Structures are given as structure tokens and as C-alpha cells.
Amino acid sequence: MSPKLINIGFGNMVVSKRIVAIISPNTAPIKRLKDEAREERRLIDATQGRKTRSVIITDSNHVVLSAIQCETIAQRLSPNCKLSEEDLTE
């Protein structure tokens, strides 16, 4: 059985089983997390120079930056699960 790959934008993929969290990048703790990952060479920038719209944390403690919204990546992870507007605002 081959691993399921999730498109995180611009042809970049992440193995779905390795994803621990998908987080919005706009808070101070996440900005610190990005800086620490960059210093420790665990940061993967998959934004292709665009604005970072989501931060993906993997089980190997790598931090992946994506230009795709968190909600879009979450929908790609579970295509059978439809998110309601209420789910997106929580």
C-alpha cells in the first residue's frame, strides 16, 4: 500500500500519515516555532515565494510552510468529510 500524498500547493506533496497539525501562521508562538525550525534546519518552505497561509507540523518535527489555507488542506486530508461554515469559524 503506497502512502497517500496531500498536495500542499504548487506541486508540493506531504505524506498524509506524517501530518500532526495544520496551523494558521499568524500567532507569535507559531512565528517562534518557524524561527526555531529555521535555525535547526527543520523548516521546509513550499510557498514558492507566496504568502504563508498554513504551517504543517510533521511527526518528524519538521515544519512545512504552505501558501494554501488550513481549511483547504484539511479538506484534502479527508475528502469524504464536508466541513460546515460553523466548523471553519471555530
Side-chain angles (χ1 to χ4, degrees):
M1 185 173 143
S2 64
K4 182 178 176 188
L5 296 174
I6 301 298
N7 184 345
I8 59 167
F10 308 108
N12 299 301
M13 308 283 185
V14 174
V15 177
S16 63
K17 288 186 176 184
R18 305 294 304 262
I19 296 175
V20 174
I22 305 168
I23 306 167
S24 176
N26 301 325
T27 64
I30 300 305
K31 290 177 183 177
R32 282 193 299 273
L33 179 73
K34 285 182 354 187
D35 291 341
E36 289 172 8
R38 181 175 285 119
E39 289 174 7
E40 296 172 9
R41 303 183 60 84
R42 295 182 290 111
L43 183 71
I44 301 167
D45 188 351
T47 61
Q48 302 290 336
R50 311 293 198 299
K51 179 181 177 183
T52 301
R53 297 184 186 226
S54 62
V55 177
I56 301 167
I57 311 297
T58 65
D59 60 354
S60 62
N61 209 21
H62 283 83
V63 177
V64 183
L65 307 181
S66 174
I68 305 295
Q69 292 286 346
C70 296
E71 294 84 7
T72 304
I73 296 172
Q75 286 177 340
R76 291 177 183 177
L77 276 170
S78 55
N80 297 331
C81 177
K82 301 286 184 195
L83 294 176
S84 67
E85 189 65 33
E86 185 177 295
D87 293 334
L88 297 177
T89 57
E90 289 182 356

